[in-house]
């Protein structure tokens, strides 16, 4: 085990995940992104900025007949992702490769994928956020901006392939605007902390060259006021008993 890590269990214990004690640790956003992956059997999925593999491995556990490739530029995170792939016995259909979202997808020498996933850093303006700890900076600050992530994802999928992101609600208009030149058939699912509070996150799914009208789906409510940690729907999703459907 790489030093200074903890080993956690996700998807109700189905996935073992070693993560740094300090720095970015996969949490709810990664779990929701994995639950939103609807790739069909026999297809190939890429995750940009896979970190230690939280979303990548959870998505792979949910989709046992699908191949997954994670791209990560940080050497320590990449080493952890590879360790976690082996830890879960998924070397046969999951891989983690060195790569930078700020550079061309074509430079990876990979064929276009059927689907792409990403949980991009939430900020690209250093003045918008008090400086995070050095260990967490890359996870919070998009050095090349949100546009670089969208361009990379758009290039990474074939025509008719899907692009799925989770991000702050405030960036929804930017995401749709950046995706629009190459994608359409957008579906948006708000994620609310409680029924009476505004959404803090949105899941966005688009289809490369898609032409269908935008659809706003019913929100996912994470918590209730009755003392439970999560609503039954959110709990089922986090345990891997349900997925975030796009129908």
């Amino acid at each position: 085990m790489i030093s200074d890590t903890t080993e956690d269990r996700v998807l109700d214990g189905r996935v073992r995940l070693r993560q740094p004690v300090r720095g970015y640790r996969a949490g709810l956003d990664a779990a929701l992104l994995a639950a939103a992956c609807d790739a069909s059997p026999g297809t190939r999925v890429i995750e940009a900025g896979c970190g230690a593999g939280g979303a990548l491995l959870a998505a792979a556990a949910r989709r046992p007949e699908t191949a997954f490739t994670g791209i990560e530029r940080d050497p320590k995170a990449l080493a952890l992702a590879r360790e976690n792939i082996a830890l879960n016995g998924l070397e046969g259909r999951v891989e983690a490769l060195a790569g930078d979202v700020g550079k061309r997808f074509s430079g990876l020498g990979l064929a276009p994928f059927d689907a792409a996933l990403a949980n991009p850093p939430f900020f690209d303006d250093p003045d918008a956020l008090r400086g995070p700890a050095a260990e967490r900076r890359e996870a919070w600050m998009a050095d090349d901006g949100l546009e670089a992530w969208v361009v990379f994802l758009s290039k990474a999928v074939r025509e008719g392939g899907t692009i799925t992101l989770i991000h702050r609600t405030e960036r929804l208009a930017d995401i749709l605007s950046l995706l629009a030149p190459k994608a359409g058939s957008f579906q948006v699912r708000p994620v609310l902390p409680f029924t009476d509070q505004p959404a803090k996150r949105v899941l966005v799914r688009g289809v490369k060259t898609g032409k269908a009208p935008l659809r706003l789906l019913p929100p996912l409510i994470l918590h209730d006021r009755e003392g439970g940690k999560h609503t039954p729907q959110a709990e089922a999703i986090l345990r891997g008993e349900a997925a975030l459907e796009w129908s």
Side-chain angles (χ1 to χ4, degrees):
M1 182 189 299
I2 296 176
S3 61
D4 299 322
T5 63
T6 62
E7 183 173 310
D8 304 297
R9 300 270 181 160
V10 300
L11 280 188
D12 206 24
R14 289 162 55 192
V15 174
R16 298 166 65 186
L17 184 66
R18 291 174 180 166
Q19 306 187 81
V21 174
R22 294 173 58 83
Y24 177 75
R25 294 171 60 82
L28 181 63
D29 293 336
L32 296 180
L33 182 63
C37 176
D38 62 344
S40 302
T43 57
R44 298 166 54 247
V45 179
I46 184 171
E47 185 194 358
C50 68
L56 185 74
L57 292 168
R62 287 174 170 276
R63 302 283 169 177
E65 298 180 38
T66 302
F68 288 83
T69 296
I71 302 298
E72 177 56 51
R73 75 175 186 178
D74 178 69
K76 292 183 179 179
L78 179 62
L80 266 177
R82 289 171 170 168
E83 182 177 317
N84 284 323
I85 290 168
L87 183 67
N88 289 278
L90 292 172
E91 301 99 318
R93 62 183 182 89
V94 182
E95 63 179 349
L97 305 176
D100 190 336
V101 169
K103 299 179 180 179
R104 291 180 179 271
F105 169 76
S106 59
L108 295 173
L110 301 172
F113 288 77
D114 301 292
L117 308 173
N119 178 13
F122 283 168
F123 301 92
D124 47 23
D125 178 3
D127 296 329
L129 179 72
R130 286 184 184 174
E135 300 89 344
R136 297 175 62 88
R137 187 187 184 282
E138 285 198 359
W140 283 94
M141 301 298 299
D143 292 334
D144 299 296
L146 182 60
E147 182 176 5
W149 286 77
V150 172
V151 168
F152 182 91
L153 296 169
S154 298
K155 295 289 187 180
V157 297
R158 60 170 175 79
E159 291 192 4
T162 61
I163 300 168
T164 305
L165 303 93
I166 186 167
H167 213 287
R168 295 185 298 134
T169 305
E170 298 96 304
R171 300 306 301 271
L172 175 58
D174 296 325
I175 291 169
L176 294 176
S177 176
L178 291 168
L179 281 170
K182 296 291 185 181
S185 303
F186 297 119
Q187 297 184 75
V188 178
R189 187 180 299 278
V191 181
L192 282 63
F194 295 92
T195 55
D196 57 354
Q197 292 186 353
K200 291 187 176 182
R201 299 283 188 272
V202 284
L203 282 150
V204 181
R205 180 182 185 271
V207 178
K208 188 169 180 177
T209 66
K211 302 298 183 184
L214 183 147
R215 298 176 67 226
L216 183 62
L217 302 179
L220 170 66
I221 313 298
L222 295 177
H223 310 288
D224 58 36
R225 303 276 187 189
E226 305 302 319
K229 184 176 181 181
H230 296 107
T231 61
Q233 182 188 15
E235 185 69 21
I237 289 169
L238 295 176
R239 288 183 176 275
E241 298 166 357
L244 278 166
E245 303 291 348
W246 292 105
S247 58

